Amino acid sequence: QFTMLTSRPAHNSDAPASAPAPATTSASAGHAAGTAARLAATVPATRIDPGWKYVSAVEEGNTNDTICNFCGKIMRGGITRAKEHLMIKPGNVVG
């Protein structure tokens, strides 16, 4: 939980004397909560990799088969293989 400190807190006997309590503002707490809520609403839990901005799953729920958003190439091998295609990395994928 985030709390906003408006005055100096009372002395806490459990806390070390040299370490002040960290202060957070309601603005930064609100920003973090808003960002997390937007991410949770737009990105499914299984697709947190940034590469999903550039490729799509051929079938919903099957992240092994992907299609490139730029050239339309259909690939097997998941997001790792799809990112190798985007980088035109020789070896695993044909560009």
Side-chain angles (χ1 to χ4, degrees), residues 22-74:
T24 59
T25 62
S26 61
S28 65
H31 175 72
T35 302
R38 278 193 305 280
L39 287 175
T42 59
V43 178
T46 58
R47 295 188 192 171
I48 56 174
D49 192 290
W52 287 111
K53 290 186 248 180
Y54 310 106
V55 297
S56 303
V58 174
E59 293 178 15
E60 192 62 36
N62 179 9
T63 57
N64 192 41
D65 298 335
T66 57
I67 185 167
C68 178
N69 292 346
F70 297 104
C71 69
K73 178 177 175 67
I74 297 175

Side-chain angles (χ1 to χ4, degrees), residues 1 4 7 9 12 14 16 22 25 34 38 40 43 48 50-51 54 59-60 65 69 76 83-84 88 92:
Q1 277 289 354
M4 185 171 173
S7 63
N12 185 352
D14 294 335
T25 62
R38 278 193 305 280
V43 178
I48 56 174
Y54 310 106
E59 293 178 15
E60 192 62 36
D65 298 335
N69 292 346
R76 294 191 59 90
K83 288 191 290 187
E84 290 175 354
I88 313 171
N92 275 338

